[in-house]
Amino acid sequence: MSGGEISSRTLQIFFLIIGRRLTGRMAAVDDLQFEEFGNAATSLTANPDATTVNIEDPGETPKHQPGSPRGSGREEDDELLGNDDSDKTELLAGQKKSSPFWTFEYYQTFFDVDTYQVFDRIKGSLLPIPGKNFVRLYIRSNPDLYGPFWICATLVFAIAISGNLSNFLIHLGEKTYHYVPEFRKVSIAATIIYAYAWLVPLALWGFLMWRNSKVMNIVSYSFLEIVCVYGYSLFIYIPTAILWIIPQKAVRWILVMIALGISGSLLAMTFWPAVREDNRRVALATIVTIVLLHMLLSVGCLAYFFDAPEMDHLPTTTATPNQTVAAAKSS
Amino acid sequence: MAEAEESPGDPGTASPRPLFAGLSDISISQDIPVEGEITIPMRSRIREFDSSTLNESVRNTIMRDLKAVGKKFMHVLYPRKSNTLLRDWDLWGPLILCVTLALMLQRDSADSEKDGGPQFAEVFVIVRFGAVTITLNSKLLGGNISFFQSLCVLGYCILPLTVAMLICRLVLLADPGPVNFMVRLFVVIVMFAWSIVASTAFLADSQPPNRRALAVYPVFLFYFVISWMILTFTPQ
């Protein structure tokens, strides 16, 4: 036994030493091979026509890397590469939503955002720059439900409260006016805003899925990403609703135009890559419908919640409540 | 290995004996008594305590709960970093406050056609479901506070706003006018700030630091809406 053990031990040591030398050499060879592989990887991502597939849950829509042969696509790819954790988020995306949908942890994955991320997304929604896709830049396969839900809640109360305040200020001097808080309008506002923020993305997602089955689109969004874009695009309406208190028709309509311009362009630029490959008329019709629904929402809210300022209350220059009261009392 | 070491002197045995073979000869159930009480001494004391509260008078029971609620009121009015609200949570206080607030805020049912202030049910639903929503939001963001603890804190921190409602109702008994409105506005703003400070003193520590603002903002919105309802209350 001892003789056999000693001989086997020496053989082990012998092979260990030789193996170390071999692996040392192998490491050098591996280094070379690793370098080659690295070159191949960078050349692969530099080629915009290549597509890579993420391994995600089968419930999620497979999101392909956009590889458009045009120049703007190349800029977007470079921008995507410029951020360090793009690979990391792509890897993590596959492991994220793995809990079954009846557990609490599944819903926690939709609230996996930090304060600065929410602020970045809000800032991105306020400054839509052509060529930068909101979803790709900010959402990046981490769609959250915190932003859409609380932005909609804030918007509901902003519209209801501002409408109430504006009506109070407009009718301030009238003798027959008795102030009412108009609480029923809160529930109406809530229904409208939440229906818009959830049903329109659902319809749009269904439509995009249907078109995807007919025409191979390079870019496709999941339902939560569409909800996220719509939620953050509604953020511009919060300051707009507060500024609608000013009882001047011209001011209100200018605000409508500005808000519609910003959020409409954000939506159009987000969804244009998703319908670009399609039939020209279908693509244009989709974008026009998106912007039209958005305009309908803002104009409808303005018309329903904010009374029109009557003509004899409009002073010549700027509107202040004291001047309107004085004008009403003098007339 | 144990087999080889155990029988060095028995080269003739066909099968080596396993190590702990002798123990199977002992019959455990009869020789070693394995029965007794699996109770901790503390438990029996608590059982005595429970039976004694069953026999106490109703007045004692109610006063004990009321004292607990009153103690928590004092903690809200002077918010310090203490754990009393969190540790011994109860939902009596939030219920009393919510019902009081809703009773005072409801509009007179005579003017039901005109779009006036909220009904009792609307205020109640907004307060309760608002608290539940904020709690869910806080838990989804990864806070380590339990569901009922958070409901307890949010409900108790409505106390300053209920006091503001009482003051506003008293002030409204005087002549309506801009001075009246200014007084009410000032009171509501002060109480709103007090509520926010009190609730964040309890709730802010339960969140990871990079999400604290995300968890506190809904609380701010919640108390703002309640303050707005108090401020715009007009008796018909």
Side-chain angles (χ1 to χ4, degrees):
Chain A
M1 173 176 103
S2 55
E5 274 196 12
I6 287 175
S7 63
S8 69
R9 289 249 171 102
T10 44
L11 269 177
Q12 280 176 18
I13 295 172
F14 178 63
F15 279 124
L16 203 62
I17 294 173
I18 291 197
R20 283 249 174 99
R21 293 234 174 124
L22 279 176
T23 51
R25 294 236 176 98
M26 293 280 279
V29 176
D30 273 346
D31 281 343
L32 291 177
Q33 288 179 356
F34 185 68
E35 276 184 44
E36 282 182 18
F37 180 67
N39 284 336
T42 48
S43 67
L44 186 71
T45 48
N47 184 7
D49 288 330
T51 53
T52 60
V53 181
N54 321 342
I55 303 175
E56 293 186 37
D57 262 7
E60 291 281 334
T61 355
K63 192 171 92 154
H64 303 287
Q65 291 287 347
S68 80
R70 298 180 202 141
S72 63
R74 200 182 288 259
E75 285 167 27
E76 288 164 345
D77 275 334
D78 285 348
E79 198 168 14
L80 190 63
L81 283 180
N83 203 340
D84 289 328
D85 51 337
S86 65
D87 287 3
K88 199 165 64 170
T89 51
E90 288 305 324
L91 276 176
L92 285 178
Q95 308 163 10
K96 237 175 43 152
K97 299 172 177 57
S98 52
S99 321
F101 68 92
W102 56 83
T103 57
F104 190 70
E105 283 75 27
Y106 177 75
Y107 297 102
Q108 249 177 336
T109 57
F110 301 137
F111 282 77
D112 195 16
V113 278
D114 292 336
T115 310
Y116 76 93
Q117 279 177 322
V118 173
F119 280 149
D120 279 344
R121 291 175 187 193
I122 291 178
K123 269 188 290 191
S125 79
L126 288 177
L127 307 163
I129 304 177
K132 289 195 182 191
N133 191 335
F134 180 74
V135 173
R136 209 138 30 86
L137 254 191
Y138 293 104
I139 311 237
R140 255 194 223 275
S141 74
N142 183 21
D144 69 308
L145 287 181
Y146 177 90
F149 182 77
W150 287 109
I151 290 178
C152 289
T154 313
L155 184 62
V156 164
F157 289 113
I159 285 188
I161 292 177
S162 307
N164 199 249
L165 254 182
S166 145
N167 293 348
F168 170 70
L169 289 177
I170 285 176
H171 299 287
L172 190 51
E174 290 170 11
K175 293 203 180 359
T176 57
Y177 178 70
H178 181 74
Y179 170 73
V180 283
E182 287 176 329
F183 195 75
R184 197 170 300 154
K185 295 207 167 168
V186 172
S187 35
I188 296 177
T191 313
I192 294 176
I193 302 276
Y194 275 102
Y196 179 80
W198 285 85
L199 293 183
V200 171
L202 186 67
L204 186 62
W205 176 72
F207 175 75
L208 286 178
M209 284 298 111
W210 175 60
R211 292 312 295 178
N212 260 348
S213 67
K214 299 202 160 189
V215 176
M216 188 58 207
N217 272 327
I218 310 263
V219 176
S220 68
Y221 299 123
S222 71
F223 171 63
L224 282 171
E225 285 166 352
I226 301 183
V227 166
C228 220
V229 172
Y230 263 88
Y232 281 103
S233 75
L234 285 177
F235 179 80
I236 184 70
Y237 285 114
I238 297 177
T240 310
I242 297 176
L243 286 176
W244 273 342
I245 296 179
I246 302 174
Q248 279 268 33
K249 243 191 168 106
V251 171
R252 285 181 179 178
W253 280 100
I254 291 176
L255 286 168
V256 166
M257 289 296 132
I258 295 176
L260 189 63
I262 293 180
S263 56
S265 66
L266 173 75
L267 288 176
M269 281 190 292
T270 305
F271 289 108
W272 179 245
V275 292
R276 190 165 40 186
E277 317 291 323
D278 208 345
N279 186 2
R280 196 80 184 172
R281 280 194 295 176
V282 169
L284 278 178
T286 311
I287 302 291
V288 166
T289 313
I290 292 175
V291 177
L292 208 64
L293 280 174
H294 219 62
M295 187 177 74
L296 207 64
L297 176 79
S298 64
V299 171
C301 284
L302 177 64
Y304 183 70
F305 292 101
F306 294 82
D307 287 347
E310 275 98 21
M311 297 311 292
D312 53 342
H313 278 251
L314 281 177
T316 49
T317 52
T318 56
T320 59
N322 292 331
Q323 282 187 5
T324 47
V325 169
K329 280 196 178 145
S330 63
S331 63
Chain B
M1 280 306 179
E3 298 173 27
E5 283 166 8
E6 217 180 74
S7 56
D10 289 339
T13 52
S15 59
R17 295 183 65 199
L19 196 55
F20 297 106
L23 273 184
S24 58
D25 296 339
I26 303 176
S27 162
I28 293 185
S29 56
Q30 276 128 30
D31 294 353
I32 304 176
V34 197
E35 50 187 295
E37 290 214 19
I38 314 181
T39 53
I40 317 170
M42 279 284 286
R43 196 99 182 109
S44 56
R45 227 178 286 148
I46 293 178
R47 223 176 287 147
E48 282 172 28
F49 184 58
D50 276 347
S51 62
S52 76
T53 62
L54 203 57
N55 290 333
E56 69 180 6
S57 64
V58 174
R59 180 194 145 89
N60 277 356
T61 313
I62 292 181
M63 286 313 294
R64 189 175 58 237
D65 279 333
L66 277 182
K67 274 196 199 123
V69 168
K71 206 163 72 140
K72 292 204 186 67
F73 279 173
M74 298 317 292
H75 275 277
V76 169
L77 286 179
Y78 304 107
R80 289 182 301 268
K81 279 203 187 285
S82 77
N83 275 339
T84 314
L85 263 186
L86 288 178
R87 225 181 21 226
D88 321 315
W89 58 266
D90 73 277
L91 292 180
W92 279 116
L95 181 68
I96 294 175
L97 287 172
C98 183
V99 167
T100 314
L101 194 63
L103 275 176
M104 286 197 289
L105 267 179
Q106 65 174 349
R107 63 169 178 252
D108 299 335
S109 55
D111 262 332
S112 53
E113 295 101 28
K114 261 175 61 169
D115 195 10
Q119 297 277 17
F120 176 89
E122 287 171 339
V123 179
F124 195 85
V125 160
I126 280 193
V127 173
R128 297 307 264 183
F129 275 96
V132 166
T133 309
I134 295 175
T135 307
L136 275 179
N137 175 65
S138 166
K139 286 190 75 67
L140 282 169
L141 280 174
N144 59 356
I145 194 173
S146 97
F147 184 73
F148 289 110
Q149 280 173 349
S150 172
L151 278 186
C152 169
V153 168
L154 286 170
Y156 269 104
C157 291
I158 296 183
L159 175 66
L161 287 170
T162 312
V163 170
M165 183 73 220
L166 280 167
I167 298 179
C168 282
R169 267 229 126 138
L170 289 174
V171 168
L172 276 171
L173 290 176
D175 294 327
V179 175
N180 199 319
F181 177 72
M182 284 300 151
V183 169
R184 282 187 291 143
L185 182 67
F186 175 71
V187 166
V188 167
I189 287 180
V190 165
M191 292 302 180
F192 166 66
W194 203 336
S195 283
I196 299 258
V197 165
S199 60
T200 45
F202 292 112
L203 286 179
D205 288 338
S206 68
Q207 284 289 338
N210 53 344
R211 295 185 183 179
R212 207 158 277 171
L214 294 184
V216 166
Y217 170 71
V219 177
F220 169 84
L221 186 66
F222 177 61
Y223 288 130
F224 181 77
V225 169
I226 297 181
S227 313
W228 173 258
M229 285 199 293
I230 292 175
L231 188 61
T232 61
F233 172 75
T234 51
Q236 302 294 338

